[in-house]
Amino acid sequence: MLPEPEVRALMRAEHGDPFAVLGPHRTDEGLRVRALLPGAHTVAVLHSGSGWPLAQLERQGDSDLFEALVPASEAELGYRFEVDWGSHRSALEDPYRFPPVLGATDVWLLAEGTHLRPYEQLGAHLREVDGVRGVAFAVWAPNARRVSVVGDFNQWDGRRHMMRLRRECGVWEIFAPQVAAGDAYEFEILSSQGQVLRKADPFGFSARLRPDTACVVQPLPAPVTLPAGRAGANARGAPLSIYEVHLGSWRRKNGHEWLDYRELADTLVPYARDMGFTHIELLPVSEHPFDGSWGYQPIGLYAPTSRFGTPGDFRAFVEAAHAAGLGVILDWVPAHFPTDAHGLASFDGTALYEYADPREGFHNDWQTLIFNYARAEVRNYLVGNALYWLERYGVDGLRVDAVASMLYRDYSRKPGEWVPNAEGGRENLEAIDFLRRMNRVIGVERPGAITLAEESTSFPGVTRPPEHGGLGFHYKWNMGWMNDTLAYAGINPVYRKHHHQKVTFGLMYAFSENFVLPLSHDEVVHGKGSMIGRMPGDAWQKFAGLRNLYGYLWAYPGKKLLFMGNEFAQVAEWNADRSLDWHLLGEPLHQGMRHLVRDLNNVYRHFPALHELDCEPEGFEWLCHNDADQSVFAFVRRARDGSCVVAVCNFTPVPRHGYRLGMPAAGRWREIINTDGHDYGGSGVGNSPCDTEPQPWHGQAQSMAMSVPPLATLMWVLA
């Protein structure tokens, strides 16, 4: 019989090594089997194959611990329990008779923090062991005194499936027989301070919707082989026009019900394709408890949010996008995580995933915790998660949120509120190492996938390869261009001539990184108003100004990103709790705006000069950048074969008839875009095909007189 202190530890779920006492154990007397089955009346041991009785387990005192000597040869071939619960009987497999879950190599790699795919071992995995089906659970909690998996299958009783600690890597594990897909579970953790914590699985593949915090056992999604051509569609010389979407508010049924992933596959995907976009970017789809965070405070990094359906439904959405020729980019948040008690915060009773010092580990702006990038296991968790979305759901890329907050230890902190790095500087050296490793792993393991950084500072080399000292991202959001451009577009046209440099300055650094030009969700929330609402003037000037802004955006060097609703000039500021105002498309000006965006996308994709050299200075040349008095800009975009598109932008509401512009080649030129066209709701000022004249102008040997419409952009090509 077990010593009484050990029995009490088992009964209180305080035993740190249950496998040492439960299950089958060889003794001098023979094979002794022990089982802790709270609530059981009697327990018999049966041969697992024949069902032949082997022994009746005896209760130890008034505890729920049962034990007996069992014929060794028969028991070692496998056994199960027959339990009389008083109201019914059931047959149970003994989780303590099964071997360890993790193999030696996995333990080594997890301890080292170099396991490329930790999600294949940690979390909950459907397995068959010795002919018995169940789930292998494993969770990293090195400082816990005890960890149990609890769920519907054991009445959420932490005594029933206490786990084995693999001390070499700090992982607790158990094979739970007869647990199946669809079962809810969490981890119950006894901290070193004696607190009992209930935690969601950091590697959970599915989760219940708030306020329920349980994870759901789901099969690990099979790896996805990308369709032919997808890698090329993400290349630096390819057209990337990204439609940024918040799934919960793009469109709603009956005005308030969310569309699920499959309904979105049937509606959002064809809409984005018909609009000419090349990619859909989704605000974070990782499970998150608070709707108002828009997904930027995730708890289930490995689980597509159940708001819109199952993991299989989300995978069907990605497949539908690929079938339509669209790429899928996910917003991904490795910069911080929320403080919710069931999440990663103080996971095992200690600062495990976060920095312990709040000067390093707490975001004052967002009231969230910061990942401890110095820990190999945390870096491994995040790198594995990035690879998981790319490999297991086939997404094309990850847009990494809030990179600037990761790079600098003094981000949004006053002097004395931050801790310098080991060299005395302000850079977060371990976060930099993490980003480089993440991008390097993706480059090797998922070539053709892309990563995009939302990085708002002048940190050097964001899109330079890690081996050349960079961070290794493929693209960076051009926040400087966005801020300057929107500030300029919001100025009364009368005064724009005094702010001419807000447009020209961006070309000083336009090719220092591989840039995406973002008009994102951040620009239409928190009192900023809508994009159309930011334009000055009366209704005519607002719509003309926004059409002009879009024409300028699509002509400017850099990949494109437009937030949903902006394509038809949503009037109200974005509200994540309601649908976009689709009824506005019944009005000609809004329909015209959408028509323009569709045409801009189609022209952008059709003419290589507008995308092939987006990131190379050879793809751009100013024709006119000093006409501040008339607020006119003109430039050339070039393709590798020398073909070109000439863009002319007039940022005043005054038409410029007979405007002479130097042209890069002699011949007849025709308009391919005129944002003042009648079809878009404009005044219709435009040009028939025009011929150049051998009159030098703007440094060019040839020039051409044209009518430049008010508040409009023209794009010209050789006829």
Side-chain angles (χ1 to χ4, degrees), residues 22 73 154 201 206 213 301 452 459 488 519 564 621 625 692:
L22 298 178
S73 58
N154 63 14
D201 182 359
S206 181
T213 59
L301 275 182
L452 307 90
F459 189 91
Y488 180 82
L519 295 181
M564 65 182 198
E621 179 187 358
H625 62 82
T692 60

Side-chain angles (χ1 to χ4, degrees), residues 3-193:
E4 193 59 30
E6 289 212 71
V7 175
R8 288 198 300 270
L10 289 170
M11 289 296 297
R12 295 172 182 172
E14 294 176 351
H15 203 294
D17 190 8
F19 277 84
V21 292
L22 298 178
H25 293 274
R26 284 198 169 277
T27 69
D28 293 339
E29 303 166 286
L31 189 69
R32 186 169 292 277
V33 172
R34 294 191 189 94
L36 180 64
L37 293 168
H41 286 200
T42 62
V43 182
V45 182
L46 310 180
H47 188 273
S48 61
S50 66
W52 189 261
L54 299 180
Q56 186 77 24
L57 298 188
E58 299 295 326
R59 185 189 298 270
Q60 180 165 343
D62 59 356
S63 73
D64 288 316
L65 184 69
F66 297 82
E67 65 175 283
L69 290 172
V70 176
S73 58
E74 290 89 343
E76 288 174 339
L77 289 173
Y79 65 87
R80 55 188 169 87
F81 297 133
E82 184 179 66
V83 184
D84 181 358
W85 301 98
S87 60
H88 66 286
R89 289 176 175 269
S90 63
L92 299 177
E93 296 285 348
D94 183 5
Y96 296 97
R97 77 173 180 85
F98 292 93
V101 169
L102 299 177
T105 301
D106 291 314
V107 167
W108 176 274
L109 295 175
L110 289 170
E112 197 176 53
T114 57
H115 201 302
L116 278 180
R117 296 169 179 85
Y119 53 83
E120 293 182 347
Q121 301 301 325
L122 298 177
H125 294 271
L126 294 165
R127 299 273 168 82
E128 183 174 315
V129 180
D130 295 339
V132 177
R133 293 182 179 179
V135 174
F137 292 97
V139 62
W140 179 56
N143 304 304
R145 283 169 52 187
R146 183 266 304 172
V147 179
S148 301
V149 59
V150 294
D152 294 330
F153 49 85
N154 63 14
Q155 292 76 54
W156 302 89
D157 188 338
R159 298 171 294 177
R160 295 284 295 276
H161 287 88
M162 292 182 284
M163 304 170 77
R164 171 196 289 115
L165 174 61
R166 305 296 297 273
R167 297 186 183 279
E168 315 96 299
C169 59
V171 172
W172 297 77
E173 58 162 38
I174 195 169
F175 175 71
Q178 298 168 306
V179 179
D183 285 347
Y185 72 97
E186 287 184 305
F187 292 114
E188 186 179 279
I189 297 174
L190 178 65
S191 75
S192 58
Q193 294 80 33

Side-chain angles (χ1 to χ4, degrees), residues 500-514:
H500 205 68
Q501 77 285 354
K502 284 191 176 295
V503 174
T504 58
F505 178 69
L507 270 302
M508 300 293 291
Y509 60 85
F511 308 105
S512 61
E513 303 276 7
N514 304 329

Side-chain angles (χ1 to χ4, degrees), residues 345-392:
S346 299
F347 188 78
D348 63 359
T350 67
L352 190 63
Y353 284 88
E354 68 270 32
Y355 289 102
D357 189 331
R359 294 175 299 167
E360 299 177 283
F362 188 77
H363 267 307
N364 294 316
D365 290 354
W366 305 316
Q367 301 295 295
T368 54
L369 300 172
I370 301 170
F371 283 105
N372 183 351
Y373 308 107
R375 294 200 73 148
E377 298 93 338
V378 174
R379 293 196 303 268
N380 203 41
Y381 172 72
L382 294 171
V383 173
N385 186 246
L387 195 57
Y388 169 80
W389 289 106
L390 297 168
E391 285 193 340
R392 299 291 171 158

Side-chain angles (χ1 to χ4, degrees), residues 411-463:
Y411 180 86
S412 196
R413 296 181 189 274
K414 298 175 184 177
E417 294 180 350
W418 58 282
V419 179
N421 63 33
E423 300 174 359
R426 57 193 285 259
E427 295 80 11
N428 190 325
L429 301 178
E430 50 264 33
I432 292 169
D433 286 344
F434 154 68
L435 291 170
R436 286 172 173 162
R437 183 184 174 211
M438 181 267 295
N439 283 316
R440 190 180 296 112
V441 166
I442 289 174
V444 172
E445 300 296 324
R446 198 67 173 178
I450 54 174
T451 57
L452 307 90
E454 186 212 16
E455 204 285 306
S456 55
T457 74
S458 57
F459 189 91
V462 172
T463 58

